Amino acid sequence: MTRKFIERLPEDKLTWRPHAKSMTAGQLAYHLAVAPASIVEFVGSNPAKAPESFVFPQPSSREEILKTFDDGVKKVRELLPAFDDAAMKATWRMMSDEYEVMAQPRGEFVRDVMFSHMYQHRGQFGV
C-alpha cells in the first residue's frame, strides 16, 4: 500500500509543501520509504539512543524514493526474522543521554511505529 502511495507522487510536485513548516511532498514520501528499515535497525540496539532530530533529504526523483523503499523492504525481510518471540516480548528501551525515554516490549514498539506511525504519515501524504 505504501509503495502505491509513493508511485502516485507526481514528479513535478516533489518540492510542493502545504505549509511553510511542513515537509515537502518528496521529503514525506522519502520518510515513508526509509522508515520501515530504519525502525527494524533501530530496535536492534537495546537500549537504543533516542534520535536528536529528524531531517529528511529532498529526493530528486520518484524513482529514487521507490528504490529507497524497495531496498528498505528487502532489509526488513532480512532483519526482522532474527527477532524471535522472546526478543519481541523483551523490554526494549530508548535512552536520551542517561534518561530512559521509553521502555516497552520490542514487538509493541515495532507495531506502533511501523504500522500506526506509517498509517498516520500515509494519511498525511494522501491529503
Side-chain angles (χ1 to χ4, degrees), residues 59-83:
S60 59
S61 70
R62 182 180 52 235
E63 285 307 312
E64 175 187 347
I65 302 166
L66 288 168
K67 180 177 180 343
T68 300
F69 179 75
D70 292 340
D71 291 348
V73 168
K74 182 179 176 186
K75 181 163 277 235
V76 168
R77 289 183 174 151
E78 291 170 5
L79 297 177
L80 196 58
F83 297 107

Side-chain angles (χ1 to χ4, degrees), residues 61-127:
S61 70
R62 182 180 52 235
E63 285 307 312
E64 175 187 347
I65 302 166
L66 288 168
K67 180 177 180 343
T68 300
F69 179 75
D70 292 340
D71 291 348
V73 168
K74 182 179 176 186
K75 181 163 277 235
V76 168
R77 289 183 174 151
E78 291 170 5
L79 297 177
L80 196 58
F83 297 107
D84 61 11
D85 288 346
M88 290 304 246
K89 290 177 184 175
T91 300
W92 174 84
R93 290 175 166 72
M94 182 167 54
M95 306 292 290
S96 178
D97 296 321
E98 71 274 7
Y99 300 102
E100 185 176 84
V101 176
M102 180 183 302
Q104 71 182 115
R106 179 183 275 114
E108 286 183 21
F109 179 80
V110 170
R111 182 196 63 224
D112 290 349
V113 178
M114 195 172 302
F115 293 109
S116 300
H117 180 78
M118 292 292 288
Y119 300 153
Q120 180 248 328
H121 283 305
R122 273 203 326 248
Q124 184 183 22
F125 185 73
V127 170

Side-chain angles (χ1 to χ4, degrees), residues 6-94:
I6 296 168
E7 287 172 345
R8 283 151 181 78
L9 174 61
E11 283 283 338
D12 64 339
K13 300 296 182 193
L14 288 172
T15 59
W16 180 82
R17 65 177 78 224
H19 186 274
K21 293 183 179 181
S22 300
M23 288 187 275
T24 66
Q27 288 171 311
L28 183 55
Y30 186 84
H31 178 42
L32 286 168
V34 76
S38 297
I39 293 161
V40 174
E41 290 175 331
F42 186 56
V43 299
S45 298
N46 194 13
K49 184 179 184 247
E52 292 181 22
S53 66
F54 293 96
V55 178
F56 301 101
Q58 178 61 51
S60 59
S61 70
R62 182 180 52 235
E63 285 307 312
E64 175 187 347
I65 302 166
L66 288 168
K67 180 177 180 343
T68 300
F69 179 75
D70 292 340
D71 291 348
V73 168
K74 182 179 176 186
K75 181 163 277 235
V76 168
R77 289 183 174 151
E78 291 170 5
L79 297 177
L80 196 58
F83 297 107
D84 61 11
D85 288 346
M88 290 304 246
K89 290 177 184 175
T91 300
W92 174 84
R93 290 175 166 72
M94 182 167 54

